[in-house]
Amino acid sequence: MNVIDFININRERYLDELKALLAIPSISALPQHAGDVRRCAEWCADEMRRIGLQNVRLIDTPGNPVTYGDWLGAEGAPTILFYGHYDVQPVDPLELWESPPFDATIRDGEIYARGSADDKGQVFMHFKAVEAHLKQNGRLPLNIKFILEGEEEVGSAHLDDFVRAHRSELAADVVVISDSPMFARGVPSMCYGLRGLVYCQIDLRGSSTDLHSGSFGGAVANPAMVLSQMLAQMKDRSGRVRIPGFYDDVVPLQDEERKAWAALPFNEKQYKKAFGLPKVYGETGYTTLERTWARPTFEVNGLLSGFTGEGAKTVLPAVSMAKVSMRLVPNQDPDKIAALFDTYVQGVAPKTVQVKVTRMHGGKPWMTSYDNPFVQAAGRAIEAPNEKLDVSNFQNGIIASAMLYEEIATIGVPA
Ligand SMILES: [Zn+2]
């Protein structure tokens, strides 16, 4: 019997076990559930011990604990660091749930419960894949370290420090994160990149107080107008960002990626309908998926100036404000882009206003190259169950996880 047979034979009990995990209301955003969050961390630790992981323990952070477990018996094989989270989002509004959110219910072949798809279901699939290997073969084809976080839904405030503090213990050849959606139902998907962010606020001041347009209109600059004119200079007609140097470090799409993305079941008509778009928009020469996955952009997130109440007021506003952000792709550097943006804004601003640019939060873009052997291995793993078996997503997920370990093991440790 092989690992996949083991999974198929044991499939009946998996749902009941998953239900027990889903029944714990580990809502990290609500203080009254702190005990449940802790209980869930402990449930995961107990399960890790049951399936045969070693060195299992809760590692305290200033917030919720990280549940850790490993199996390091495959000498010479690669080491995976698996990341998942055991906390869930609040369930409001409760009346919109057809069944209680912490009492998992199966309807139309789907498991309904808070956390079933984010991220307890995925974590559980990896538990069962590990269990199948360890119970069937007494070993895993590679080494694995699990970290399960309890604060993902509240911003992962303590994760960076945790990783830094445990740097050597967490060392691995490849990180596996099972916490992103499928492209569409029945389309197993792998996310190998995420766009980064630079977020800024622009403040303009044209006078010390609001003025009356009857007395001053036409003689002083209007910060609302000036800001609109400045923002209009951020992109050209083809949708390209006009900040000089903005695209210098952008990694271009590979032909193979473009082909693979073009083959995805993406329907532009449905996309327009779903979001009420009269027409799609974006940088000329790229498809909608390419624009959102592989191209940087500039967006206005908020605009404020002058009188916005009911009726009319002939004010000439003293100030205007915009919140703007840029989505970045590899290898754009947030610090460099923020500096280029600041220089550009100062350059397009007329002398009639005072300009202040304040940088707010942000993040680096990330990508593993499409032809990376680990990415290719994951691709083979998610293809495998569909070719061989007709079982539900959940069962497929367990099998794909089990296959993933085998595929990664075949690559060996990178030089
Ligand atoms: Zn998640």
Side-chain angles (χ1 to χ4, degrees), residues 50-102:
R50 264 199 300 276
I51 63 178
L53 288 175
Q54 298 166 352
N55 300 309
V56 175
R57 62 191 186 277
L58 301 196
I59 304 177
D60 280 317
T61 74
N64 297 328
V66 171
T67 305
Y68 177 88
D70 63 32
W71 190 90
L72 305 173
E75 210 185 314
T79 302
I80 287 182
L81 176 65
F82 175 89
Y83 165 90
H85 62 92
Y86 62 81
D87 64 325
V88 298
Q89 289 197 354
V91 293
D92 305 324
L94 200 57
E95 61 275 13
L96 292 184
W97 284 80
E98 280 183 45
S99 51
F102 296 104

Side-chain angles (χ1 to χ4, degrees), residues 228-236 241-243 344 348-349:
S228 308
Q229 287 160 345
M230 287 168 63
L231 293 174
Q233 292 181 66
M234 290 294 162
K235 278 183 179 175
D236 68 15
V241 178
R242 296 182 63 190
I243 300 168
Y344 185 68
V348 296

Side-chain angles (χ1 to χ4, degrees), residues 179-190:
D179 191 23
S180 45
M182 300 207 332
F183 181 78
R185 198 173 179 176
V187 182
S189 316
M190 183 185 8

Side-chain angles (χ1 to χ4, degrees), residues 17 20-21 24 38-58 66-69 86 124 127-128 131 135 148:
E17 292 175 10
L21 172 58
I24 306 170
R38 181 95 196 173
R39 187 154 62 87
C40 198
E42 280 163 0
W43 191 98
C44 290
D46 288 343
E47 174 69 10
M48 283 185 185
R49 289 186 194 100
R50 264 199 300 276
I51 63 178
L53 288 175
Q54 298 166 352
N55 300 309
V56 175
R57 62 191 186 277
L58 301 196
V66 171
T67 305
Y68 177 88
Y86 62 81
F124 185 81
F127 282 164
K128 294 299 105 174
E131 177 186 56
K135 301 280 182 222
L148 304 183

Side-chain angles (χ1 to χ4, degrees), residues 190-240:
M190 183 185 8
C191 172
Y192 61 95
L194 283 175
R195 291 197 291 185
L197 184 73
V198 168
Y199 200 111
C200 297
Q201 179 171 325
I202 307 172
D203 286 283
L204 301 192
R205 177 172 284 280
S207 53
S208 51
T209 56
D210 283 354
L211 303 171
H212 188 270
S213 72
S215 314
F216 295 90
V220 298
N222 181 325
M225 283 291 291
V226 173
L227 183 58
S228 308
Q229 287 160 345
M230 287 168 63
L231 293 174
Q233 292 181 66
M234 290 294 162
K235 278 183 179 175
D236 68 15
R237 279 168 174 271
S238 67
R240 267 179 86 85

